[in-house]
Amino acid sequence: MTGLQTNQRIDSRRLWDSLMDMARFGATPKGGVKRLTLTDIDRQGRDHFRAHCEAVGLTVRVDAMGNMFARRPGRDPDRLPVLFGSHLDSQPTGGKFDGALGVIAGLEVMRSLDDFGIVTEAPLELINWTDEEGSRFGHSLMGSGVWAGVYTQDRMQALADLDGVTVGAALRDIGYAGPEPAAPFPADAYFELHIEQGPILEAEGKQIGIVTSAQAQVWYDAVVTGRDSHAGTTPPAARRDALVAAAGIIELVDRLMRARGEAGRGTVGRLNVMPNSCNVIPGEVRFSVEFRHPDEAEVERLAGQFPREAEVIARDRGVTLELTELFRIPAQPFDPGCVDLVRQAASRLGLSAREIVSGAGHDAVYVARHVPTAMIFVPCKDGLSHNELESILPEEAEAGCQVLFEAVVARANRAL
Ligand code: GLV
Ligand code: MN
Ligand code: MN
């Protein structure tokens, strides 16, 4: 049978237990997760995920960026697959659900289809994208970005972490440098379930966010170079303090953000001070900068204004600034047909829902360049994410997973 019965419910208990199982890989004392991409902990989580996929008969492929694709055949071999998934890597002080929810809910969709004896018309593929977070190598949406052709594999594989380990070496070390190139293949649709990571759904008491688009962003790598010198003997006029200049630039990021009101976003999240010794005036500071806004014209303006004004601060302080734009992502609207399937699923299930723009970046943003895409959000406690205390309720996970199930099955069985 291929039609969807409205009494077909995913197994909420199994979903929750599987989420908690995955959260054991990299569990932190504060109840969060540290599962940095391409580390041995990530490998353990991936192996666990792969074993559970294979246990339900899925065929798992890995591409050269370590992206994992777990396929369930459809009835019609000519149909393109319906894709769904998210990421299993986390921030250094991450939560249990950012990314893992979309992957583990995808596994629950596959298991539920088996329970109900459903063979969809189109094949299905559950995906774990490599390095969504960007926290280890400084570049988010890496696996999906290469898959979508936004970044070259060579450039991404050459990026190194703070210890000098490259993406390519890390992929080989954990045994996830797969044989097939990371490149887009034809697919019918992509759905990604994710926690909102912000406060809107919770504040409005809504169970489901129907994500219509994701906001624009621009990221930089900044290196300020001054001169190391003795803290006790170097008088004010002779100081070329890279950290003081960086502080001015960080304050600029915050000012430019605040000038844009409620919708403004601007962050320096990573700072590396050299030589990082109490009695040496810092000679080099390397830091990240990112701006985001729902209106991509604002991001374009920031991309003009920020480098100009940062340069003035560096010059005034007698240091040099090397600013590298890592990437600029335009606002990404999602596919109206796929978004509508999410809307219809929420409505049929009697779940309260609202349309929402994603503040966070997601693999869906790059996948959407090639494949009709939609996202489903569920609320998280206090809108808190990228924090070990990130938390959702089992019934919130269940609601999101049920919407994912219905949207995927509807798409995979649609009349062509
Ligand atoms: C991904 O976590 C992001 O930076 O939005
Ligand atoms: Mn995420
Ligand atoms: Mn994240």
Side-chain angles (χ1 to χ4, degrees):
M1 78 130 257
T2 55
L4 186 70
Q5 308 294 300
T6 51
N7 62 354
Q8 287 171 330
R9 293 289 182 268
I10 61 100
D11 184 332
S12 168
R13 182 62 198 262
R14 182 172 57 191
L15 168 63
W16 191 256
D17 289 348
S18 299
L19 282 164
M20 295 306 111
D21 265 0
M22 181 51 73
R24 288 188 291 114
F25 297 96
T28 62
K30 285 189 189 163
V33 165
K34 179 179 184 181
R35 198 163 51 236
L36 292 183
T37 191
L38 305 183
T39 56
D40 194 61
I41 295 284
D42 183 28
R43 194 234 353 121
Q44 291 172 32
R46 285 165 174 264
D47 289 353
H48 172 85
F49 169 63
R50 188 209 298 251
H52 282 282
C53 287
E54 288 173 350
V56 288
L58 306 177
T59 309
V60 180
R61 314 187 306 278
V62 179
D63 73 15
M65 286 302 296
N67 296 317
M68 300 172 72
F69 304 86
R71 185 174 174 103
R72 188 177 197 268
R75 192 188 306 280
D76 181 350
D78 294 332
R79 289 220 189 187
L80 297 177
V82 173
L83 315 178
F84 46 100
S86 193
H87 61 97
L88 289 174
D89 68 313
S90 84
Q91 291 287 333
T93 54
K96 299 186 195 76
F97 305 99
D98 174 2
L101 175 64
V103 176
I104 300 301
L107 183 59
E108 176 51 37
V109 168
M110 299 292 202
R111 288 168 165 167
S112 290
L113 289 169
D114 280 0
D115 291 349
F116 304 138
I118 297 175
V119 178
T120 51
E121 291 300 316
L124 306 178
E125 292 204 11
L126 167 59
I127 306 175
N128 170 34
W129 298 107
T130 293
D131 194 357
E132 189 271 355
E133 296 289 6
S135 47
R136 179 172 174 196
F137 298 98
H139 199 300
S140 73
L141 307 180
M142 193 187 284
S144 54
V146 174
W147 184 86
V150 185
Y151 311 119
T152 65
Q153 197 167 290
D154 287 353
R155 192 180 134 219
M156 290 301 108
Q157 291 199 353
L159 291 179
D161 66 9
L162 292 175
D163 297 323
V165 179
T166 63
V167 169
L171 278 164
R172 285 190 295 279
D173 284 352
I174 69 158
Y176 273 87
E180 63 176 81
F185 49 79
D188 182 54
Y190 175 69
F191 294 93
E192 183 166 345
L193 168 65
H194 206 284
I195 57 169
E196 179 201 342
Q197 307 185 271
I200 298 169
L201 296 176
E202 185 183 58
E204 295 188 8
K206 297 283 197 269
Q207 293 161 291
I208 295 293
I210 304 160
V211 189
T212 51
S213 63
Q215 67 180 348
Q217 43 181 312
V218 60
W219 287 34
Y220 300 92
D221 182 45
V223 183
V224 174
T225 308
R227 188 181 57 186
D228 313 355
S229 58
H230 197 293
T233 59
T234 316
R239 288 177 176 240
R240 287 167 53 208
D241 187 328
L243 184 55
V244 172
I249 296 169
I250 293 167
E251 202 278 326
L252 169 68
V253 171
D254 191 66
R255 195 156 18 95
L256 292 176
M257 169 189 76
R258 288 176 195 284
R260 280 152 180 90
E262 266 302 288
R265 301 285 186 272
T267 304
V268 174
R270 185 156 96 163
L271 187 87
N272 197 27
V273 180
M274 295 289 285
N276 212 21
S277 173
C278 310
N279 47 359
V280 180
I281 295 165
E284 185 185 296
V285 176
R286 186 176 208 117
F287 56 103
S288 60
V289 177
E290 57 139 287
F291 294 102
R292 309 189 193 199
H293 202 282
D295 176 359
E296 83 187 47
E298 270 317 325
V299 167
E300 293 303 311
R301 271 191 282 281
L302 281 160
Q305 190 180 359
F306 168 66
R308 251 195 336 267
E309 296 191 15
E311 181 57 40
V312 172
I313 293 171
R315 213 177 313 126
D316 288 352
R317 289 280 175 188
V319 299
T320 59
L321 169 67
E322 196 188 320
L323 202 57
T324 309
E325 186 178 308
L326 294 175
F327 55 84
R328 204 183 296 189
I329 308 179
Q332 178 66 55
F334 291 133
D335 176 73
C338 291
V339 171
D340 206 45
L341 289 178
V342 173
R343 186 183 295 108
Q344 285 172 29
S347 153
R348 208 168 39 236
L349 292 161
L351 298 167
S352 58
R354 61 158 279 169
E355 292 192 354
I356 191 166
V357 174
S358 176
H362 295 289
D363 297 304
V365 169
Y366 282 153
V367 178
R369 296 187 183 192
H370 290 283
V371 178
T373 290
M375 289 192 75
I376 303 154
F377 276 178
V378 292
C380 54
K381 188 167 185 307
D382 301 328
L384 190 62
S385 184
H386 286 186
N387 186 304
E388 290 160 280
L389 300 182
E390 175 190 278
S391 135
I392 66 172
L393 299 171
E395 54 267 34
E396 292 169 330
E398 177 186 5
C401 185
Q402 189 68 41
V403 171
L404 177 68
F405 177 87
E406 306 232 352
V408 163
V409 174
R411 182 75 183 192
N413 285 344
R414 76 192 165 117
L416 293 181

